[in-house]
Each structure stands twice: as structure tokens, then as C-alpha cells.
Amino acid sequence: MASLEELYREVILDHYRSPRNRRVLERSNAGADGSNPLCGDEVRVDLLIEAGVITDIGVTGHGCSISQASGSMMGDAVKAKALDEVCRLTDRFKGMMSIEGAADPGLDPERPGAVLGDLEALQGVRKFPVRIKCADLPWTTLEEALGIYESG
Amino acid sequence: MIDPARFRSDFPILGREINGRPMAFLDSAASSQKPAQVIDAMMDVYRNSYANVHRGAYTLSQEATEAYEGARRKVARFLNAAAPEEVVFTRNTTAAINQFAYGWGLGNLKPGDRVLTSVMEHHSNIVPWHIIARHTGAELSFLDITGDFRIDLQKAQDRFDERVKIVSLSGMSNVLGIMPPIGEIARLAREVGAVMLVDGAQMVPHSPVDVQEMGADFLAFSGHKMLGPTGIGVLWGRRELLEKMEPMEGGGEMIREVQLFESTWAPVPQKFEAGTPPFVEAIGLGAAVDYLSEIGMDQILEHDRQLTSYALDRLEEVPGLSIQGPANTIDRGGVVSFDIPGIHAHDIATILDQHGVAVRAGHHCAQPLMRHLGLAATTRASFYLYNSEDDIDALVDALGVARRLFGLD
């Protein structure tokens, strides 16, 4: 049962119960909807991008604790970040969530405190392969929003 | 009265432990486990009697053909069909519904005609009709459910008029567990001259079926939910309607004569069975039908009912839990869906799995129903002849762990 506690770390349940950045932005210039049609998790990411920096983010939706906590943490992690940094962070996160990424401990070393710790709490999900896509969903949706922003 | 312990030893997989616990398999509504009798029957074909059917004049092909057609006869007897020719083998329920939707719907529906189904249907009895409606200009119309999770028969009367040409309805909901009054609805369909199909994916594995009594014209179901293998299903139809229905697939086996520019069809049921059929799977389904018949479908229905009754009682002990379905066992099969506010169904399923309890979580391929219930997902426990009250106790215990883990206690 040890792995259950690894999956449902207190910090994940805290983000699930009290999600951060959970609002519809009054002003935004990028956004996307993401869903896992097989399980029904849904995430909406709205962004305000100014001078190449994500100055505001809203993450809404509904789904399991992992998808919603991941979205909440993601919002904290990418806010006030330049887009190239966000891309690096996204790659790092996805790398961490893949089996091969197990050895990479370094998530955003420049940002001290809660954010790094919070995101790393999701590593426990790797032991539950069917749930990895739940953790990835907000990040995939963020990538899609940025893709739409950059192409249009 | 069924003693599940007597059957459990027939199912090799049920001896497994999952995450260090004895397995409580509560997802038979998705797919049932298989007894050794079914597995052995299929292995026996591969080892001893395997050759393509309906082709060779040699011994092996004759044996395989006889076993395949023997399985058709077994299924026909199981359903009390008027003749084995009324049993068409398909890939599964979905393929059977699609054969009916395309084969009957495309040729018979005009703009303004209606296909009547219900809000509680599985996607496999909604999406084919979306496709056929797009091709023909026909419209869809839906039977509602009442606040206590039953088909609203009062309102149903108003849905039946001469525009309704096809009625396609589940015989047992895979989410709510309810078994609608098929006979009554078939009577309403007949009165307006509509042809009716019953989606029997959940009903046929869990209750006695007599197609000559049922009142409907077609019945679709899968082998894998009734102890049989995957890859085999059945479309039963009244012979005179099967003869009028167009095949959805063309190819070998289903023809009488092929010219360069046209061809004619074989008689039923072969005209619907293009290509080499899944005959080993059909033989497996025949063995499953033998197994079920020996126990008796009325016994299985009663066993499921008793387990459902026990589950409803025990789940009531879980604080906050709400049952999505009737709170009683009247006209209801062994499917119990529930919601615990504060814990998402996927989280529940993951936690239960760590305790050896296998359940389904999600929208159960019934998004319109979930929207109607105002839920994104539910957790579903479903029962079969090998389940016992112990499995339900394991479920309830693990739900307690889930509540504690999520701080609900």
C-alpha cells in the first residue's frame, strides 16, 4: 500500500482540493481545451502572454485528482515565465513522467520552494501507468495553446 | 440458488492475487471472465479440428464446419429462436447494431422518418444512428428516464407516431442496471409499424431470453460478456426481416454468384457473414452457452439480484455515497453505479485496484446519460455468477480506505 501514499501525496490532494489559478481570465490571448476522451478528464487553459512572458494563466476543468492537481501546479510553475522557459519546463515535466525520465531530478532549479517540490510530487504517478496521461493532460493542453498562439 | 464457490474453480483467472490481495472481479459488465470449459473448447479446435469452414471437402474442414454450425444451433436454442438461420454471427454487439443500422436503416429511412432510442443508451446504440441519420435525413428521438432512473413510459407513449420507423433500445442499462419493459415498448413499436432492435449486450448474459416472446424483431449481443471469447457476437433477427435486410459487408462466403458487374447474395445467415468468420470464437461461445444453460439463466438472474440487493445495502453504509440507479432490485440487473462527492471515480478505481478490487470508472460509453445525471464519471461494480458477498465486502472496505486517504473521514 506504500505506493498509494506515494501517488496521493498530501501536496497533490491539497492542490486537488484547493486548486490554484482556477479561474476564467478576463483578459487572455491564448487558450486551448484538452480532454482524455477515454476517461473524461477535461482541462481548459487560458493564457495572457505579454512580451513573450506568460503574465497570467487560468486552469479550469474537471476530472480526477491527478489531472486537476497537475493543472493547478502547472499554473504556478509557468506563471511569470518566458515562453522558451515554459517549453523547457514542459519538456522536463514530460521527461519526468516518462519511464526513461526517472533519473532527471532537476525541475526548474532556479525557482526555489514550493513549485519545484509540488511538481515533483507527481513522480509517484509513474508507478500507475494508466494515470500518467492524467498528469500530462494540462501540459499537453498548455502546449496546444502555445502552438495556436505561435501559429496565429 | 447459486453457490458461487462452486463455479469459481472453473475460472482459472479468479485464483490470481492482485496487489497481494485475492481478486474481487467486479467488472463483468465490461467483459466477463472465462471458464476452463470455454478456453478448452477453443484450444481443442486449434489443436485437433482446425481448418477453414464451409470450404474443404476434407475431414478437418468438415469437423470445423460442423462445430461452427453446431454453435449456431446452440445459440438459437439458447434464445429460443425459430431457426438456427436466424442467428447471424458478428464481431460483437457493436458490429451487430451497425449491421442492422446500415442494412435496414440506409434502405428504409427517408428524410423526416424517426429512429427512436433512449438517453441511457451505450454509444454503440447512438453513434451508428448519427451516421445513418446523416446519410438518410432521418431524425433521432429519445425516450427519457424518470427521476427514479426508469424509462418514462408515460412520456414514451407520446414518442410513438407513424414517423417512427425504427426503435433501438437497450434491454439493460450498462450504467443504471435497469431493464426497461421491452415487451410493452415492442407493442408500441408494432402499433406504429416500426421495426425494433434490442441491444442485449447486458441483458442476454444476465437474464433468460425468449426471442419469440420478447416482441422485438432484432437482438444484438456479444459473446465476451457471457463467458465467451472476444471477437464473436450475434445479431438475431426474424427470418423474413433478415431476408429483406441488405448486407453491410461484401466478400467471400456471403455470395451466391459473382459476375464482373454484379453479384447475388447467399441465403441467410451466410449473406451477412462475409469472409472467414471467427468460427473458433463462435465455438467458444457455444461452450459458454452450454455452461450458462446448465446453470439456468433464471438462476443467474436471481443470483445477480441477490448480490445487487446486498451491494445496495452495504454501499448505503458509505457516508456521502450516492447510487446512480434505482435503490431497489425490481427489473434491475447486477450493475451498481455510484458517486462519492470529493473523490473522482478514477481515483476510487486506482485505490480499489490496490486492494484487489476491479471496477470500472468513467463515463461507461454513455456520455449523454452521464450529462443527464449531471456527472462526469461514476464508479461501477457489476456482478456475475462467480461473485459472492465477499467481493462486495472487499469493495466496501476499500471504499473506506479511499475516503480516509482523501480526508473525508
Side-chain angles (χ1 to χ4, degrees):
Chain A
M1 230 44 55
S3 51
L4 262 188
E5 269 96 50
E6 246 175 279
L7 177 65
Y8 295 114
R9 301 241 180 102
E10 192 45 47
V11 60
I12 292 178
L13 294 176
D14 180 58
H15 275 274
Y16 175 52
R17 284 191 286 257
S18 321
R20 332 297 197 243
N21 308 295
R22 191 175 189 84
R23 59 204 174 85
V24 178
L25 300 189
E26 275 176 30
R27 219 154 55 84
S28 78
N29 52 9
D33 291 302
S35 68
N36 284 331
L38 283 179
C39 58
D41 287 343
E42 286 177 12
V43 166
R44 164 92 201 161
V45 175
D46 287 300
L47 302 169
L48 181 62
I49 301 170
E50 293 170 309
V53 173
I54 294 180
T55 52
D56 203 0
I57 179 167
V59 185
T60 50
H62 58 82
C64 68
S65 61
I66 304 301
S67 68
Q68 302 305 304
S70 177
S72 170
M73 294 173 184
M74 180 188 77
D76 277 354
V78 304
K79 198 151 44 172
K81 289 273 167 67
L83 295 186
D84 54 342
E85 269 182 274
V86 170
C87 281
R88 275 201 300 277
L89 194 60
T90 305
D91 288 345
R92 278 269 177 84
F93 180 80
K94 291 203 156 180
M96 178 183 88
M97 295 312 295
S98 69
I99 307 297
E100 307 81 53
D104 180 5
L107 269 180
D108 190 16
E110 275 151 22
R111 190 182 164 103
V115 171
L116 173 65
D118 286 8
L119 277 173
E120 286 193 346
L122 284 166
Q123 288 188 63
V125 178
R126 274 208 312 261
K127 292 196 175 148
F128 297 81
V130 296
R131 305 299 297 279
I132 291 175
K133 66 183 190 314
C134 309
D136 280 347
L137 176 64
W139 294 85
T140 310
T141 312
L142 172 68
E143 278 182 317
E144 201 185 321
L146 292 175
I148 295 169
Y149 176 78
E150 276 159 12
S151 68
Chain B
M1 178 64 199
I2 285 183
D3 173 15
R6 231 187 79 212
F7 303 114
R8 277 184 80 94
S9 56
D10 286 337
F11 293 77
I13 206 171
L14 296 179
R16 261 196 73 170
E17 289 195 345
I18 299 288
N19 295 313
R21 307 288 184 102
M23 172 160 65
F25 185 77
L26 296 174
D27 197 21
S28 294
S31 199
S32 74
Q33 298 300 346
K34 322 301 173 198
Q37 288 85 336
V38 168
I39 299 167
D40 292 348
M42 295 175 72
M43 286 306 115
D44 182 56
V45 179
Y46 283 124
R47 286 177 184 279
N48 297 310
S49 303
Y50 185 86
N52 210 334
V53 293
H54 297 151
R55 282 172 175 79
Y58 52 93
T59 305
L60 282 184
S61 177
Q62 284 166 12
E63 283 178 11
T65 304
E66 177 46 38
Y68 179 53
E69 292 306 324
R72 196 189 306 279
R73 289 193 295 274
K74 286 178 186 181
V75 172
R77 263 200 310 277
F78 184 70
L79 302 174
N80 194 31
E85 290 75 21
E86 294 190 335
V87 172
V88 177
F89 283 125
T90 64
R91 192 176 77 248
N92 50 27
T93 308
T94 299
I97 296 175
N98 274 276
Q99 165 59 56
F100 173 63
Y102 280 84
W104 192 267
L106 274 188
N108 289 296
L109 292 172
K110 301 182 303 298
D113 284 349
R114 287 198 165 169
V115 176
L116 179 61
T117 176
S118 86
V119 297
M120 67 167 191
E121 299 304 311
H122 189 281
H123 293 166
S124 63
N125 195 24
I126 296 179
V127 182
W129 300 115
H130 290 164
I131 297 172
I132 297 305
R134 220 175 276 173
H135 281 301
T136 60
E139 297 162 9
L140 302 194
S141 159
F142 296 92
L143 298 175
D144 282 327
I145 52 171
T146 59
D148 56 351
F149 307 99
R150 301 287 182 180
I151 287 286
D152 194 333
L153 264 188
Q154 210 57 40
K155 275 206 230 159
Q157 315 263 355
D158 308 337
R159 294 280 193 281
F160 283 88
D161 57 36
E162 68 293 340
R163 287 173 300 179
V164 176
K165 302 294 189 228
I166 289 175
V167 178
S168 195
L169 186 69
S170 169
M172 174 178 157
S173 163
N174 69 317
V175 179
L176 306 172
I178 61 160
M179 303 170 106
I182 292 298
E184 179 74 3
I185 291 164
R187 190 181 58 73
L188 293 169
R190 255 197 320 278
E191 279 173 13
V192 298
V195 171
M196 177 164 170
L197 174 136
V198 172
D199 168 0
Q202 300 295 337
M203 175 185 79
V204 174
H206 295 276
S207 71
V209 173
D210 180 333
V211 290
Q212 299 189 61
E213 289 275 299
M214 182 174 63
D217 305 294
F218 290 89
L219 173 68
F221 59 96
S222 294
H224 71 93
K225 293 190 204 287
M226 51 190 286
L227 313 185
T230 56
I232 187 74
V234 169
L235 176 64
W236 167 85
R238 292 184 195 285
R239 188 175 194 141
E240 63 274 20
L241 298 181
L242 286 176
E243 278 165 1
K244 284 188 210 156
M245 185 165 73
E246 287 294 317
M248 185 180 163
E249 293 184 325
E253 289 264 322
M254 56 76 70
I255 49 89
R256 175 166 306 182
E257 197 176 347
V258 179
Q259 307 285 349
L260 273 182
F261 292 99
E262 59 181 7
S263 42
T264 50
W265 314 148
V268 297
Q270 272 74 32
K271 84 169 173 183
F272 300 110
E273 296 180 1
T276 294
F279 59 92
V280 181
E281 288 77 3
I283 293 163
L285 174 58
V289 162
D290 284 344
Y291 190 94
L292 292 170
S293 300
E294 198 167 308
I295 298 166
M297 293 309 294
D298 47 349
Q299 294 286 310
I300 289 171
L301 182 66
E302 177 58 18
H303 171 73
D304 287 356
R305 198 191 63 74
Q306 289 187 14
L307 279 188
T308 304
S309 172
Y310 183 73
L312 290 172
D313 285 348
R314 293 283 343 255
L315 289 171
E316 210 169 274
E317 297 166 17
V318 180
L321 183 149
S322 69
I323 300 286
Q324 301 298 316
N328 56 51
T329 58
I330 301 163
D331 296 330
R332 187 190 208 294
V335 165
V336 178
S337 290
F338 58 87
D339 174 48
I340 302 180
I343 321 181
H344 193 275
H346 298 144
D347 293 314
I348 292 177
T350 295
I351 295 164
L352 296 189
D353 179 54
Q354 289 299 303
H355 293 78
V357 180
V359 293
R360 173 89 190 265
H363 54 57
H364 314 295
C365 296
Q367 286 180 352
L369 174 62
M370 300 306 283
R371 227 165 274 132
H372 185 93
L373 298 173
L375 294 170
T378 68
T379 308
R380 178 187 73 186
S382 54
F383 318 123
Y384 215 176
L385 52 104
Y386 37 69
N387 290 119
S388 68
E389 292 183 353
D390 293 345
D391 297 326
I392 292 161
D393 292 340
L395 165 72
V396 173
D397 289 349
L399 288 174
V401 176
R403 292 190 75 257
R404 279 194 294 283
L405 205 57
F406 273 68
L408 298 181
D409 264 347

